[in-house]
Amino acid sequence: MRFAGGTPDRLVVAPIDLRIADSHIAEEIYSGRFAMGGTMVDTGGGSPFQMEAPSPAFARSLHGFGWLRHMRAADHDLAFANARALVDDWITVEGRHLSGLSFEPDVLSSRLIAWFSHSPIVLRGADHGFYRRFLKSIALQMRYLRHVTAALPVDAVRFRVRIALAMASLCLPASAGTIRSAARNLDAEFDLQILPDGGHSSRNPMVLIDLLTDLLPLRQTYVNLGQKPPARMAAGMDRMFSALRFFRHANGELALFNGASAVSADRMLGVLRYDETSGSAYREMPHSHYQRLTAGNAVLIADTGPPPKGRMSAKAHAGCLSFELSSGFNRFIVNAGAPASYHPQHAEFARLTAAHSTVTLNDRSSLKFSHSSFLGPIVTGGVRRVTVGSLDEEAKQLGFVATHDGYASSLRLLHRRKIRLLVSGHEVQGRDEVLRPDESPPGPDNRTVGVARFHVHPKISVSQDEDGTVHLIASDGECWAFVARGLMPRIEEDVHFADLAGARASKQIVLEFTAGETPQIDWKLIRTTLPRAEG
């Protein structure tokens, strides 16, 4: 009874939904086939809400109702009736429990946003009884969500909850005080979570897309109703757009750092079309701790920061000093990225240093993760300090040098990386060093094994000459050569997790060395012509 209250008499407005919709998915749902969270379930005509979900990812997607957009895209009465029947089914089966996965704040906020956005098709042709049940359920969920919000940690989930509650204050009849209160709470999240350079405090580039996808319709709804938007919204969103441009590769795709995964080009463009800021991407994000080097049509993005603290690190990856390289329409060197559809084992592997284009020492990761069910998968040790400086740049090159202490406590060693990009955009020069904490070279008896990995995007073909030169060849004929001074690179099998179709086989270039014998390795990536075919 704690969440009992009145039922609103109407919905005031329905915000737009910027997510990509597919009418063919609506046909599958009508046939009882639900493809969500990387899994397909055939209900055989039964209720999907009365079946055991095959995975938490499937359940979150099902109960989040984002799939209503596909019913709207179908644009016919049968799809609308099906959408209404499924919403009514959820209200009957789940709507009164106020517990379990379907009432977790991230799922609940997603469902409220979806119900508000797609209420026109859910209510089209509805009788008075369903209309009242629908509004009563929304009011109950909103009151519950408002009650639990205060106890949520400061993270992207709470930001989205604040967006959902702000949207509720506009979509349902509400007093001016309620609207102002929701706006103030949302302003507080901009202050707490959006850094001065526009990055999110989780350091995950994908969070920017997720939040902007919901913030843009909310902002437009304020405008449409003649209401004053939250004071921090305009400036905060402008900073977020600038940060999103920073993380875009030469081909428009998103860099894979700290939990980011594959994003469809349509979804990225669906957000960026509303970007009213101007200018090129920053050279550095000093608060989010990333570097970006651009020359010609080459783009190099590097992670040069420590992990966020506490709950914000729940999706952080051990990829300090990793980089990605793109040129033209192709991504050549990447990180493995987080799986697009949640897969527990893949997600765990993707967080390891070995899944990033950087150096591992003694096959360890530069971060330690908690495996406690109480704490969650947060960072508990490893990188604490990263120092970053610019190189003595000549007119013909750009670059940076960065050092992290992720191995200082376990191995008494530091990793330093220097990267230069020639202003022609035709060559990347890299140097990796292993140092003692006093920044002197390790002694000759130090047997620590270092492995520098360069993960190759699965669309790139890889070949190797007898002299060790590795050729990275794109389908359009663009080619880069990888060479290392004094070391023979190896080509090994690899897995690229961040693909919309699921994990894909790929290749990686590996340089192995011993700290005491070779404390410094030098390598280059050089734009070149296609290698000649033998014979």
Side-chain angles (χ1 to χ4, degrees), residues 57 79 85 95 105 111 160 184 248 261 275 304 327-328 338 380 411 418 452 461 468 500 511 515 532:
R111 182 169 58 251
R160 194 151 195 252
R184 283 195 302 270
R248 290 186 77 204
S261 188
D275 181 7
T304 54
S327 177
T380 57
L411 299 173
K418 299 178 182 178
S461 300
L500 293 173
L511 294 176
R532 293 181 180 178

Side-chain angles (χ1 to χ4, degrees), residues 62-80:
L62 177 67
H63 291 277
F65 277 83
W67 43 267
L68 280 176
R69 67 187 186 275
H70 305 304
M71 322 292 270
R72 190 169 191 168
D75 197 25
H76 56 72
D77 290 341
L78 188 61
F80 303 159

Side-chain angles (χ1 to χ4, degrees), residues 300-520:
L300 187 148
I301 306 173
D303 178 349
T304 54
K309 291 179 170 56
R311 287 290 298 270
M312 280 290 186
S313 69
K315 292 186 178 181
H317 285 203
C320 191
L321 306 195
S322 65
F323 77 96
E324 296 196 338
L325 174 68
S326 61
S327 177
F329 296 104
N330 307 297
R331 293 162 66 195
F332 286 90
I333 303 298
V334 294
N335 295 315
S341 295
Y342 184 71
H343 184 293
Q345 190 175 30
H346 289 176
E348 186 175 351
F349 287 153
R351 299 183 77 184
L352 303 178
T353 302
H356 297 78
S357 293
T358 186
V359 171
T360 60
L361 298 181
N362 277 1
D363 200 27
R364 302 183 186 186
S365 280
S366 60
L367 294 180
K368 296 177 183 177
F369 302 107
S370 166
H371 296 284
S372 162
S373 58
F374 175 72
L375 294 175
I378 65 171
V379 173
T380 57
V383 177
R384 293 181 179 275
R385 185 167 181 264
V386 184
T387 59
V388 184
S390 58
L391 299 175
D392 294 330
E393 298 177 358
E394 301 173 5
K396 294 183 179 180
Q397 59 189 14
L398 309 168
F400 64 89
V401 56
T403 307
H404 80 70
D405 63 356
Y407 297 105
S409 61
S410 58
L411 299 173
R412 303 296 296 166
L413 293 171
L414 307 175
H415 172 213
R416 174 173 292 164
R417 170 164 274 183
K418 299 178 182 178
I419 291 183
R420 290 182 170 91
L421 173 64
L422 300 192
V423 294
S424 64
H426 283 67
E427 183 174 318
V428 177
Q429 302 170 352
R431 170 175 292 175
D432 287 297
E433 299 174 81
V434 178
L435 305 167
R436 291 172 172 169
D438 63 3
E439 301 194 3
S440 63
D445 59 340
N446 190 309
R447 309 308 299 170
T448 300
V449 176
V451 178
R453 290 180 173 86
F454 303 83
H455 296 271
V456 181
H457 193 276
K459 291 183 179 179
I460 303 299
S461 300
V462 183
S463 64
Q464 189 169 20
D465 294 340
E466 291 183 0
D467 65 1
T469 301
V470 178
H471 299 280
L472 310 178
I473 307 168
S475 59
D476 62 3
E478 183 174 357
C479 180
W480 286 69
F482 179 91
V483 295
R485 182 188 301 171
L487 291 174
M488 178 64 73
R490 298 197 309 266
I491 299 175
E492 296 184 356
E493 298 299 317
D494 197 11
V495 178
H496 185 72
F497 296 116
D499 193 281
L500 293 173
R504 294 179 61 181
S506 57
K507 301 290 184 183
Q508 60 179 316
I509 303 168
V510 174
L511 294 176
E512 186 171 325
F513 59 98
T514 303
E517 298 174 357
T518 315
Q520 171 183 307

Side-chain angles (χ1 to χ4, degrees), residues 52 67 218 310 318 451 534:
E52 184 176 353
W67 43 267
L218 176 61
V451 178
E534 295 183 5

Side-chain angles (χ1 to χ4, degrees), residues 208-220:
L208 298 172
I209 297 178
D210 293 339
L211 292 178
L212 283 168
T213 300
D214 292 320
L215 284 168
L216 284 163
L218 176 61
R219 182 177 68 178
Q220 189 59 45

